[in-house]
Structures are given as structure tokens and as C-alpha cells.
Amino acid sequence: MDFGSLWEETCSLLKAQMNYVSYTTWVEDNMIPTAEENDTLIIGAKMDGMIPMIQKKYLPLIEKCLSESAGRPMKAMILSKSEAEKRISGTDPDGNDPRLNTKYTFERFVVGDSNRFANAAALAAAESPGEAYNPLFIYGGVGLGKTHLMQAIGNRIHQEYPDKRILYLTSETFTNELVDAIQQKKTFEYRAKLRRMDVLLVDDVQFIAGRDATQQEFFNTFNELYNENKQIVLTSDRPPKDIQRLEERLCSRFEWGLVVDIKPPDEETRLAILRTKVEQENMQIPGDVLQEIAHRVEGNVRELEGCLTRLTAYSSMTRTPVSMEMCNLALREIFDQRKIKQITAELVMRTVCDFYTVSMRDLIGPTRKREITVPRQIAMYLTRELTGMSLPQIGEVFGGRDHTTVMHSCKTIEAALQTDSSRSKLVDQLKKMVQQAQ
Ligand code: ADP
Ligand code: MG
């Protein structure tokens, strides 16, 4: 019999032989069976000041019930929780393996507007674990760096506080390990293992929703750690309130600390991420290719990385350096999948013409009247935004204009978007109209 089940039986005997208040106070709420050594059960006591009293008054009874449950003579040793935990660390091979990927560091995390706040919160949590934000809840879409940031916290704490016990696990792993532990009658050990962590990182916590036993166990672990000011970090693909079938009490606990989101990176950040990766991996990829990828592959950092890997593979297979032509060839499917490719300049122009009730002829013609130049500039800007066409190509379809004219138009609109909120709303609306019209 494992000591977890042994302890459960012992407790039912103790319960019958002690008065209710003493049993709940000194045993149930206080004692944690922690390890077994040569017929001795090591018990951790949360109230370590009371250990001498408990030993004097209850140790003989505990040992009697323990032996009765085990069917052989057994001893018990009551230690403070932390002393008791030291007895397992040597025997538990998984005792201090944080399961972190050492590549996921703050140094390698590129910060932009989309993740600045999340990054700052993660840094604060890593600098003073358990004190700054607890729990820290990071949410955002797939491939946006949640796992990276969470592991960066773990890696930084590991570096700054080597004695702290850190554990990273996904909520899937948590569920599976818990189920295994229940089947092997090792729930106590598993519980004890989680509860002696100083930092618990649970990734993709949305997957525990709807699983009752897991939520219950997680709730208890959360409370234990939280009450002892241990740092908890959680990630999810959505904010706590939007996780369906998540127990209300868990949802509210997830919101006790700080909830931050990571948004998809803007083009500038995408380019910075690409440049960093290229430098780190020592890849030979020209700048204009990086710009093209940053421009076309929106939304997901993992996809950006995929493009680089693919280009590198293509280049080594063909034994030719990466070029713009190779980029268009090797990444054609990736680019083609994207909506922006399906939007044509014509569609943008028609939408803008309809909206402003100007004719296509005027739009691409020479007139410099304001009623025409504004729609024209917006149409050029949106064509640049939505189609992935180059500046000269856009100039061509807008009545054979020079690419510098197109660039000037784009800059004018970009500037207006910063300062003029009604203009910015309007451009946004037009953009949506084009996207919906395709
Ligand atoms: P998520 O957990 O949100 O799905 P990941 O953390 O797994 O996303 O990130 C996907 C990939 O993108 C990882 O390889 C990660 O290193 C990289 N990544 C994401 N965001 C950044 C960033 N801001 N800077 C550098 N790399 C990033
Ligand atoms: Mg992840």
C-alpha cells in the first residue's frame, strides 16, 4: 500500500478515536504525509509551533493507528512542513526539474506595443515572485508568445533564486498526471509534490474547464500555494470570464492578481522579431525578404518562424542564397493562404469609388481636386495595406503614377490616422468594407 492510502486509513481510525475539533485541527487541517522511510511515515505539520504538544499527546495514538492500517509495526515522525519536504527531495528524481525550455528567455523575447504590458508584468513577477502580481494571468491567441513569456519567468527565477522550486506544466499534463496518480493510488504524493513548489506555471489553463476532478484538485493546490505567497502564473487563449465551464470560484481566483493580454504583433514588431531570430540562428536572409515576410504574414509569431525555417531549408536544398525570388517561390502557399492576397487593387478602388461616389476614371485620372485626391490617397493606402502589391505596381494600376507618389499618399494617410480620429474611423470602415466584399 502506498503511504497516501495508508494515511487515509489511518485518518479514519484517528477520527473515530479523537474528538472532532482536535482531529480536524491537529490532524486533518495540519498534517501532510510527505515521505516514507524504513517503516517510518514522515509527516509534515503546517503549525510547526505545535509539534511538541502534538507529539506528546497524539504520537502514540497515531503510531498505533498507523500500524493497524499497515498490518505491521510502524513509526511516525512529525516535522515542520519544510523539514519534512527535505526528506523527499533526495528520493524524488523529479524533485527539482522545472521542465523549462532554456531558450525561452526575456532576452530572446522581442517587445513591441502588442506585448509590452504583458512583458513588464512578467518581468515584475520574475523579479519578486509571489509579491508583485499573484496570480499573473496571461492570455492571447495562438502563437503569440504566452508560453515563451511564462517560461521566461521560470528561467529568470531559476537564475536569480536557484533554491526556489519551479514547475512548468500544461493543464493537459496536470490532468494526465493527476489521473495517473489517482489510478496508482499516489494522489498524496502528487499533491505534496505540487504543493512544495515555490513557483507554479500552468500553461493553457483553459483545458481544465469542464473537468470536475481536475478543477477541484487545482482549486486546492491553488489555494495552498496562494496562501503561502507562492507565485502562480497561468496562461490561456482567452480571459478567465470567457472560459466556458470554468468553475466560478476558479474564475474569480484567476482574476485576483493581474490579467494581461498579448495582441498580435504589428508590422514593425514582426520585423523586429524576424531580425532577432535571423541573428540568433545565424541565418543568411536579406533585409528586403524579411520586410516582405513581416508585411505579408500577419498575426502569428510561430508562422513568422515557420517562414524562416522554410526559406533556410529551401536555400540549403538548392544550394543558393535566399533572395526575393526564392522567397516568393518558397513561401507562395503561405502567402497565398492569406486573405490579403485575394484582395485586388480593383476591389479596393471600386469600394472606395462607391463610397465616395466618384468615378473610376477620376480616381485614376490626373485631376487634383480635393474631392478626388482624398479618396485616391485612401485607395492607394488600402491597396498597399490589403493586397501586398509593391509601390511601383500600385502606381501602375493607379493610372501609371510614380511609386514615390504612392509612397507619399500612404504616408499622408498614415499621418492622418495618428492625428485625426474621424479619418481613422473612416479608413477602418472602408477597410472592413473591402475585406467583406471579397
Ligand atoms: P503561444 O504559447 O502564445 O501559443 P509561443 O510562446 O509558443 O506562443 O510562441 C510561438 C513561437 O513564437 C515561439 O517559438 C516563441 O519563441 C516565438 N515568439 C512569440 N513571441 C515572441 C516575441 N515577442 N519575441 C520573440 N519570439 C517570440
Ligand atoms: Mg503556448
Side-chain angles (χ1 to χ4, degrees), residues 79-99:
L79 302 171
S80 71
K81 194 165 162 270
S82 61
E83 282 301 315
E85 282 165 0
K86 284 192 191 138
R87 313 288 279 245
I88 17 175
S89 59
T91 56
D92 179 1
D94 204 20
N96 209 2
D97 171 16
R99 305 185 194 168

Side-chain angles (χ1 to χ4, degrees), residues 312-363:
T312 317
Y314 208 90
S315 153
S316 81
M317 248 164 12
T318 57
R319 294 173 196 273
T320 40
V322 176
S323 63
M324 200 61 158
E325 291 75 59
M326 183 189 288
C327 166
N328 284 323
L329 206 63
L331 304 181
R332 194 168 48 207
E333 300 100 275
I334 299 177
F335 288 174
D336 279 353
Q337 278 167 16
R338 319 223 47 98
K339 256 200 208 150
I340 47 174
K341 196 61 203 256
Q342 295 153 16
I343 296 175
T344 60
E346 224 224 1
L347 180 69
V348 177
M349 289 152 98
R350 290 220 168 282
T351 312
V352 174
C353 284
D354 285 352
F355 185 83
Y356 284 99
T357 53
V358 300
S359 73
M360 189 71 123
R361 225 165 102 205
D362 279 343
L363 193 80

Side-chain angles (χ1 to χ4, degrees), residues 292-311:
E292 185 67 9
I293 299 175
H295 184 60
R296 291 205 178 197
V297 180
E298 289 174 313
N300 180 327
V301 182
R302 195 170 287 136
E303 268 183 341
L304 290 175
E305 291 181 340
C307 291
L308 295 182
T309 314
R310 193 162 170 153
L311 273 181

Side-chain angles (χ1 to χ4, degrees), residues 142-143 145-148 168 203-204 235 302:
V142 76
K146 303 182 296 295
T147 300
H148 187 137
Y168 165 86
D203 208 355
D204 289 321
T235 71
R302 195 170 287 136

